[in-house]
Every structure is written in structure tokens, then in C-alpha cells.
Amino acid sequence: MQFLCQQTQLNIKKAADSILSGKVVGFPTETVYGLGANAFNEQAVRSIFKAKGRPNDNPLIVHVSSLNMFNSYFNQKLPRTYELLINEFWPGPLTILIKSPSQIPAETTANLNTVGVRIPYHPIARALIECSGVPLAAPSANSSGKPSTTTALHVYEDIFQRKEAREVMDYIIDGGRSDIGLESTVIDGITVDGKVRVLRPGGVTVEDLKRVVGDDNVVYEKMEIKTADFKPTTPGMKYKHYSPKARVLLLMNDSNTNKSDKIKKLKELIESLDTNDKIGMMTLEDSLMTNELMNINKSSNNLIPYFIGPSNNPSIVASNIFAGLHSLDKHQVEYILVEGVEERNEGLAIMNRLYKAAGNLENVILI
Ligand code: TXA
Ligand code: MG
């Protein structure tokens, strides 16, 4: 396996040749890194599933480099809402579901009759697709259930632990850190009477979608975030998604709790954890929690901070979420306490990922 670091035409060509020979390539996009293969090649698509250890009933997104390429492979009548959204957000972090044409194999769509398509804006992603001359099926470049990856090194450290990945991959293209840091927004505007249904909140916010197609045309069923009393014993995970090795505890702001009670609760929580364990803390840099963390840290050296950004800038926070989970896992922490954010703009996608990373009601704590 080789890192292709300098973005020379020669390197892009090497990676494109690898794609055309049926291999899988790790490549950067503006959202997260992807594991790309020729979307038309069933065997190559199977290799992606193997590399990730992904269940084959979870469909892949197909990436094209331009509207020209989109029109040549996916020529079909689109709803007006899609036309408006494509005009505004492509290239970019928006995936639209359309009818799957017959050349797209069932492996790519997991047997569905729709396929998700997007044009990334990352220049290396686009150059790779353009040079390959075929659409790339690409899920996020993480092993199944783990946090998505936002650097080439994350991809290497996670995916290359897997023999199955080493067998089907020759290259990871290093394009620096992904700007957005959370995956694309996935929308379905074809199966429900003209409305745009948000299946996964992501890089394009629900507010952005509403601004372009109107409030009434966007449907998003907000996840109901439930909380419970914390129990120190590790509960069995009902399902795993975006989960680092450490147990993620999501700290939700309780607007009814005053400052001193919040500090008390935080201290109690930290004290209830085993003092021999390292604890990662992903907090907003200007928050009460960070302030308190600094005080606690003076008396204990098992807390490892990772600042996720300022509370008034959710796009910075979004870009640090997966990076923070990876970084703290590398420190071999036992727990990662993450400060929740308001569910507005990028905050919606952030909380969607964090809630899943916590994975269990008992890991979501009101503070
Ligand atoms: O930003 C992104 O979207 C990244 C980069 C690499 O482009 N890709 C990505 O792919 O996040 P993946 O496979 O990790 O997530 C794709 C999501 C999955 O939740 C999948 O179930 C959903 O999109 N999806 C894909 N095709 C679908 C379809 N036809 N119907 C419903 N959901 C679909
Ligand atoms: Mg994924």
C-alpha cells in the first residue's frame, strides 16, 4: 500500500488505473474520506464491502465529477426541488436519491431501485473520478461501525488493520484534512409526493434546504434524544455506529440546571469513573465545562482535553468531531465525554452523529 501525497497528474493517474483494474482507492472528499471503486463493476463494489466489513444491505453513494457526467449516466426527469438544490449545492455535500439506472449493479444499491448520487467539490476527488472516467461508488473510509475518517492517516490506521482491505487496496490519496468533517446530507425527493425528505442530516443544513425550496417542502424527522441516569458499568451496545473504542458519554445541556449544579454533576460523573482510566473530554473551548475541566485537571492527570471549537461556530465543531474521536482513541482513553451542542444548522448533523456514537440511552447524560 502506498500513500499518494503529491497531487501530480501522475499520481491521480496511478489511482485511476487502480480503480479501472477493479481495486479500491482511499481518497479525500470535502466531507470525509471515501473508499472508492468503479460503481459499474460488481466485483469491485463487493471489494468495498469486504474492505469495510460493511453489511451488504447498506447501499453506497455514487460520486460523479460534473453535471455532464451526471447527465450522461443518470439522464432522467428530476423534480423541480432537485433542480433548485443541484443548482445551489453541487458540487458539494448533498446526496440526492434518484431512480437507479440499469447499469448500476444491485451490489451498489443494495437491491434498492434508487441510488444516491453526489458531486463532491474536493478537487482531488473530482480529478480522480474524471481521470477514471466512471462514477465511483464510495462509502466513508472507515471500518464498519467506527467513526468516519477525515485524514489519510485515519484511513490508514483504521482500514489497514483489516486484511480484507489490504487485499483490495493499493493506494490512499492524501488530500489533507476534510474541510467539512461530517458526511453529506442525504435527501429523498422522489419517493414522497414532491417533498424533500432528509434521510441523513449533513454538510448541507436543513435550514439551507428550506431556504432554497421553501419550509413546507422539507421534511425532517428529528431524532428524539432521550437521556438516562449514568451507570458506570458498560452496557451492551444495542447497535454500533460512529463508535470509537472508548465508551462515548454525550453530555446534554440541561437548561434547568444552574451553573453550580452543573459543575457538581460533572465532578460527580468524573469521580464515578475509575480513576485509573484515562478520560478524553471533547468540549467547546468557551464553555463552562472547559473552564471546569481546567480546574479538575490540575488535581488529576488522567483527563485528556480535545477542544472541538467555539460554541458560536458549529461548522468548526462539525469539522472536529470525528477527528477528536480518532485522536482520543489513539490516547487509549477508556471514556470520551463529549459536550453536546444546540440542534441548529450544523448542530443537527453533529448531534445525530454523537447520539449514534454514544449508541445507548445510558450514555446520554443531562448536565
Ligand atoms: O459525505 C459522504 O456522503 C461520504 C463521502 C465519501 O462522499 N460518503 C458516505 O457514505 O458517507 P456512507 O456509505 O458511509 O453513507 C451513505 C449513507 C448510508 O447511510 C446509506 O444507507 C445511505 O447513505 N444511502 C445510500 N444510498 C441510499 C439509497 N438508495 N436509499 C437510502 N439511503 C441510501
Ligand atoms: Mg459511513
Side-chain angles (χ1 to χ4, degrees):
M1 201 291 302
Q2 202 184 331
F3 276 111
L4 296 179
C5 297
Q6 285 168 322
Q7 301 320 317
T8 58
Q9 278 183 353
L10 182 66
N11 272 346
I12 298 289
K13 173 129 189 4
K14 272 190 195 166
D17 286 345
S18 181
I19 298 265
L20 291 177
S21 74
K23 292 251 172 165
V24 177
V25 169
F27 70 102
T29 87
E30 70 279 14
T31 55
V32 296
Y33 272 65
L35 285 184
N38 179 351
F40 295 140
N41 179 335
E42 299 162 21
Q43 194 58 46
V45 171
R46 274 193 218 116
S47 295
I48 299 178
F49 282 88
K50 260 202 258 161
K52 273 185 73 104
R54 172 164 170 142
N56 58 10
D57 60 355
N58 194 0
L60 304 182
I61 292 173
V62 172
H63 300 68
V64 289
S65 55
S66 63
L67 274 179
N68 261 348
M69 192 180 207
F70 177 71
N71 290 327
S72 66
Y73 289 115
F74 302 100
N75 192 12
Q76 57 187 264
K77 174 111 188 69
L78 298 180
R80 176 81 184 127
T81 47
Y82 274 2
E83 285 172 6
L84 294 168
L85 292 169
I86 286 173
N87 197 25
E88 186 81 13
F89 299 117
W90 274 7
L94 180 69
T95 298
I96 61 170
L97 295 197
I98 58 173
K99 273 185 251 147
S100 185
S102 55
Q103 311 105 287
I104 298 284
E107 280 78 1
T108 304
T109 61
N111 270 315
L112 297 174
N113 53 16
T114 56
V115 59
V117 184
R118 82 176 185 102
I119 307 181
Y121 73 60
H122 199 297
I124 295 172
R126 294 233 299 283
L128 177 66
I129 303 165
E130 194 65 31
C131 192
S132 308
V134 290
L136 297 191
S140 51
N142 51 280
S143 48
S144 191
K146 291 280 168 214
S148 300
T149 51
T150 54
T151 67
L153 191 61
H154 294 159
V155 182
Y156 178 77
E157 287 172 343
D158 173 6
I159 281 291
F160 271 76
Q161 301 302 314
R162 297 177 50 77
K163 179 166 103 339
E164 296 87 340
R166 292 194 298 271
E167 280 166 5
V168 295
M169 290 176 72
D170 291 330
Y171 300 119
I172 298 171
I173 309 180
D174 188 344
R177 198 176 152 154
S178 297
D179 276 357
I180 295 175
L182 294 181
E183 303 88 339
S184 63
T185 303
V186 180
I187 58 168
D188 177 0
I190 57 168
T191 58
V192 196
D193 53 5
K195 304 225 178 196
V196 169
R197 189 167 288 260
V198 179
L199 304 184
R200 176 178 73 182
V204 172
T205 65
V206 170
E207 289 85 345
D208 287 337
L209 297 173
K210 287 184 171 169
R211 174 172 54 77
V212 175
V213 298
D215 286 11
D216 296 343
N217 287 322
V218 178
V219 182
Y220 176 61
E221 278 150 27
K222 219 168 160 184
M223 248 178 356
E224 200 194 331
I225 295 194
K226 295 191 179 124
T227 60
D229 287 337
F230 174 69
K231 296 192 188 72
T233 52
T234 305
M237 290 276 204
K238 203 168 70 221
Y239 56 88
K240 276 192 112 183
H241 211 132
Y242 307 115
S243 304
K245 290 193 199 91
R247 177 174 171 190
V248 174
L249 301 176
L250 175 57
L251 309 181
M252 306 283 296
N253 177 37
D254 182 356
S255 49
N256 297 322
T257 309
N258 66 34
K259 195 173 153 182
S260 62
D261 283 347
K262 273 186 205 295
I263 293 171
K264 199 164 142 246
K265 276 185 166 183
L266 182 65
K267 278 192 176 141
E268 278 171 8
L269 172 62
I270 290 175
E271 276 160 19
S272 74
L273 306 177
D274 191 330
T275 47
N276 295 318
D277 289 334
K278 281 202 241 173
I279 302 166
M281 300 269 316
M282 288 171 56
T283 55
L284 295 161
E285 58 202 30
D286 50 351
S287 71
L288 177 70
M289 244 175 244
T290 291
N291 200 11
E292 205 42 41
L293 169 67
M294 289 304 155
N295 290 333
I296 298 175
N297 218 5
K298 279 179 200 145
S299 54
S300 135
N301 56 10
N302 66 341
L303 295 185
I304 301 176
Y306 187 100
F307 299 121
I308 50 179
S311 53
N312 64 0
N313 196 331
S315 64
I316 293 184
V317 176
S319 74
N320 284 320
I321 293 296
F322 289 137
L325 296 176
H326 282 287
S327 164
L328 290 170
D329 246 359
K330 259 180 125 166
H331 277 95
Q332 299 185 311
V333 299
E334 200 67 27
Y335 295 91
I336 300 178
L337 274 53
V338 192
E339 188 169 5
V341 297
E342 268 185 75
E343 282 190 282
R344 282 192 290 122
N345 298 310
E346 288 87 346
L348 204 62
I350 294 170
M351 291 307 284
N352 170 280
R353 306 306 188 273
L354 288 179
Y355 196 51
K356 289 180 181 172
N360 193 301
L361 193 61
E362 285 169 23
N363 293 336
V364 184
I365 302 156
L366 262 187
I367 276 209

